[in-house]
Amino acid sequence: MSKKNFDSEFKREIAQVYLEGRRTATSLAEELGLHVNTIYKWAEQFKTDPENSFPGSGNLKPEDAELKKAQRRIKELEEEVEILKKATAYFAKNSK
């Protein structure tokens, strides 16, 4: 069975249809050829954060992107501190 890819707008629409009670998760899943748990998962993601649900492959929610950027910066700064420590030790040893 090949994996189907649906865009975020489609997922939002399906989640809304289910959450508004217009269709059951089972009927949607059968029509789309998906597992019913997929519909439940989409609905939960949409209910949790409608604005940023389904960011897409490789994209992050704004807060996740900000966190990742901060973690990357912390790593860079830690590496700079290590270099400066080594340089300080080297120059302290050679100045005697």
Side-chain angles (χ1 to χ4, degrees):
M1 180 189 266
S2 64
K3 183 176 178 176
K4 297 176 183 176
N5 291 319
F6 298 100
D7 68 359
S8 58
E9 189 59 36
F10 180 79
K11 291 177 182 180
R12 282 187 194 96
E13 288 176 25
I14 297 301
Q16 282 180 315
V17 166
Y18 169 68
L19 290 171
E20 291 171 358
R22 293 186 273 160
R23 301 270 306 271
T24 65
T26 306
S27 69
L28 287 167
E30 286 175 1
E31 182 180 320
L32 298 172
L34 299 171
H35 193 278
V36 69
N37 287 344
T38 302
I39 305 298
Y40 294 139
K41 183 178 78 173
W42 290 355
E44 185 61 33
Q45 288 176 327
F46 181 76
K47 193 168 38 171
T48 303
D49 189 4
E51 293 295 317
N52 297 309
S53 58
F54 319 113
S57 178
N59 299 323
L60 298 173
K61 293 181 180 180
E63 60 272 9
D64 292 339
E66 189 176 318
L67 176 62
K68 190 170 185 172
K69 182 178 177 183
Q71 289 172 333
R72 189 177 320 121
R73 182 66 179 141
I74 289 169
K75 185 176 179 183
E76 289 173 2
L77 291 172
E78 287 173 342
E79 289 172 356
E80 288 177 17
V81 167
E82 285 302 312
I83 291 169
L84 290 173
K85 282 181 182 178
K86 290 177 183 177
T88 302
Y90 175 78
F91 287 118
K93 182 176 80 172
N94 288 337
S95 66
K96 293 182 180 180

